[in-house]
């Protein structure tokens, strides 16, 4: 079993046995051990750390607390002189005013943000793409917006012609670690460190594209337009090369254990 599948299994199992009133580290690890084979010692230690973290998280939950976890994804969420701003933040603050709850924001890289939200019952993640493999693991609020993911190249690279996705396999592609777009490429036999080169943010990938360290980057028109503006990059230097699938809807993704007032109010406002 892949480590990501194991993570989802542990989260599901923890919620299940907690509801039965038998949340116990030893029991959890016995179930986790069944997932392993002789070559998966590393997975064992990962499961052990995860289970301990989950137990601690359940002990810290407060009915009146909610943590919004964000990775940098302009213009939806970004830092401006140290302050978190963006479209997602505007929506959250509107709900906060309705509920009277004070939201605690935490900005961490996407992959960590994803795992953090799965393990903390009083948490939700901002701007997460709602794709089938994620469906069972969150309570969804939205959609916030639609995004069309594309491959982009330097306008000067006339040698990059992509008529079918398989044509992109001959190029180095910059992705953001853990994004749905990266998963999309991996599911279509693109390989890490062969065609796919992950980084923490799209901003880093834009710089790598301009330096010639990658041939293509994955982004959206809105995000790319924002980044070239704040970085004072000539917008004509980068052009789109290929659409990756159909548009994806982005949502707020709440931990399955959270059932507080903020979730209910968020859904009510979206139903207006």
């Amino acid at each position: 079993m892949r480590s990501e599948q194991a993570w989802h299994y542990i989260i599901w199992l923890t919620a299940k046995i907690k509801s039965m009133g038998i949340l116990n580290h030893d029991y959890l690890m016995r179930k986790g051990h069944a997932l392993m084979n002789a070559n998966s010692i590393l997975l064992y230690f990962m499961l052990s750390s995860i289970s301990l973290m989950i137990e601690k998280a359940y002990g810290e939950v407060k009915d009146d607390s909610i943590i919004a976890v964000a990775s940098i994804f302009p213009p939806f969420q970004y830092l401006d002189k140290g302050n978190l701003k963006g479209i997602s933040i505007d929506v959250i603050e509107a709900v906060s005013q309705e509920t009277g709850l004070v939201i605690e924001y935490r900005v961490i890289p996407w992959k960590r943000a994803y795992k953090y939200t799965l393990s903390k019952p009083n948490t939700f993640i901002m701007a997460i793409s709602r794709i089938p493999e994620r469906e069972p693991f969150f309570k969804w609020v939205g959609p916030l917006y639609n995004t069309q993911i594309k491959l982009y190249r330097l306008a000067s690279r006339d040698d990059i012609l992509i008529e079918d996705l398989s044509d992109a396999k001959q190029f180095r592609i910059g992705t953001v670690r853990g994004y749905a777009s990266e998963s999309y490429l991996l599911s279509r036999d693109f390989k890490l460190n062969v065609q796919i080169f992950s980084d923490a943010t799209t901003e880093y990938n834009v710089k790598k594209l301009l330096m010639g360290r990658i041939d293509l980057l994955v982004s959206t028109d809105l995000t790319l337009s924002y980044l070239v503006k704040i970085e004072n990059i000539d917008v004509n230097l980068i052009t789109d090369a290929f659409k990756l699938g159909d548009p994806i809807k982005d949502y707020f993704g709440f931990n399955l254990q959270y059932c507080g007032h903020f979730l209910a109010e968020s859904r009510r406002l979206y139903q207006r």
Side-chain angles (χ1 to χ4, degrees), residues 250-270:
D250 284 358
Y251 287 69
F252 292 145
F254 286 77
N255 181 283
L256 288 176
Q257 297 301 306
Y258 182 70
C259 56
H261 187 44
F262 190 88
L263 173 63
E265 187 64 20
S266 298
R267 285 178 167 167
R268 187 184 68 80
L269 290 175
Y270 266 94

Side-chain angles (χ1 to χ4, degrees), residues 72 78-85 226 230:
I72 299 303
Y78 60 91
L79 290 173
D80 181 11
K81 298 179 180 178
N83 297 314
L84 192 59
K85 296 184 177 181
Y226 176 84
I230 65 170

